[in-house]
Amino acid sequence: MALGERVGHVFRGAAIGVAEAVPGVSGGTIALVTGVYERLIVSAGHLVNAFRYAVADVPRKRGWARAGQQFRYVHWSVVLPVFLGMVPGLLLAAMLLEPVLTEYPEHTRGLFLGLVLASVLVPLSMIPRPRHAGHLVALIATAVGAFLLTGLPQAELTPHPVIVLIVAAVAVCALVMPGVSGSFLLLTVGLYEPTITALNDRDLGYLAVFGTGMVLGLASFVKLLQWLLDKHRRMTLAVMAGALLGSLRALWPWQTEDRTLTAPGDNLLPILGLFLLGLALVGAMIVAEQRRLRRAAEALTEEPAYQPPASYRTPVDR
């Protein structure tokens, strides 16, 4: 992989990290738009397998063969640069976005509304043909469910370690499920502010518990999602698109503190401008990714690209 492409993955990771800190915006959506989503999902599946084989084989003195094989299947040229960009992106967003969200909530939601609305086109364009009515029903049902969920009033949970562990395990699904915002879930249950504070204050105890919950959640969910993309690709992508559409409710600029939607009011023109900017940014990202893919296809040599075994590949890899 060329150096320029690795640098591009670093910036993609930074965008994913920033998205993870923003309520209502999914890091999985950014990964999907920037073209690294399925390689990250496949790699996460191999890492889960590697850990499982290591735990099962090493204590029984069977060696590291199976675990090592899974490690070699990971797309490290994508995973490492993305992770390298994601961590500082998340920390920077936690430091900068919190006061912006507090001071200009309507403006930021207007921008995010444009970003997420344009992102809906990504999973829709990935649904292979033929499509049937069941996909439309699943899309509408998921959109309605997400719309109702994002309208729930904010709760308050005491940040007990067990609660933090459980909420983190669920919130990490946003990293692998486009349309689902982990930060918005944290906001809904009242753990967003404590988590942002822990990041900014480098509260290692809180972050260790939260990180453990993320690992447990990722290990539990990523294999299921990989299987769904493999066996029920059209339906899974339709559900993703529905989740994106339904989550737009949380990003409507004009709403009360209890999340009741209101008619457009003050600052209509600047908010509209930010909305259109969000549409343009995602549109530019999609176009740039398509051009990158075309250039990569033209630059392919006769040497076959690496392919993991069929049992570990998603349909995109086949």
Side-chain angles (χ1 to χ4, degrees), residues 61-254:
K61 299 182 180 180
R62 295 178 180 176
W64 294 84
R66 292 200 299 172
Q69 186 180 45
Q70 292 300 311
F71 272 115
R72 289 192 293 273
Y73 292 154
V74 175
H75 295 272
W76 293 110
S77 59
V78 176
V79 172
L80 291 180
V82 167
F83 184 77
L84 184 63
M86 187 168 64
V87 173
L90 177 61
L91 295 176
L92 183 63
M95 181 176 63
L96 298 179
L97 286 181
E98 185 180 12
V100 174
L101 289 168
T102 302
E103 296 294 330
Y104 305 99
E106 295 179 349
H107 295 76
T108 51
R109 284 199 296 266
L111 174 63
F112 299 150
L113 181 65
L115 292 171
V116 177
L117 180 59
S119 301
V120 177
L121 295 175
V122 179
L124 288 178
S125 66
M126 294 172 62
I127 300 178
R129 298 179 185 276
R131 306 166 186 173
H132 55 73
H135 302 147
L136 179 61
V137 171
L139 188 152
I140 294 174
T142 307
V144 171
F147 184 89
L148 296 175
L149 179 63
T150 53
L152 294 176
Q154 180 174 331
E156 291 292 339
L157 291 180
T158 303
H160 187 277
V162 175
I163 294 177
V164 173
L165 186 78
I166 295 173
V167 173
V170 178
V172 75
C173 295
L175 193 62
V176 294
M177 187 67 176
V180 183
S181 170
S183 293
F184 187 79
L185 173 64
L186 295 177
L187 189 66
T188 300
V189 300
L191 287 183
Y192 179 74
E193 185 175 348
T195 304
I196 290 294
T197 302
L199 277 171
N200 291 331
D201 295 344
R202 307 298 187 266
D203 185 344
L204 298 183
Y206 184 100
L207 296 178
V209 174
F210 196 90
T212 301
M214 291 181 64
V215 171
L216 294 176
L218 187 64
S220 303
F221 185 72
V222 69
K223 296 299 293 183
L224 171 62
L225 183 58
Q226 190 176 354
W227 180 83
L228 288 173
L229 285 170
D230 192 3
K231 302 297 183 181
H232 305 281
R233 180 174 182 78
R234 293 179 177 88
M235 187 63 70
T236 302
L237 290 170
V239 168
M240 289 180 179
L244 280 171
L245 283 172
S247 68
L248 293 175
R249 185 198 191 286
L251 301 176
W252 179 250
W254 299 277

Side-chain angles (χ1 to χ4, degrees), residues 297-309:
E298 293 171 357
L300 285 177
T301 63
E302 295 182 358
E303 181 180 355
Y306 160 77
Q307 293 288 347

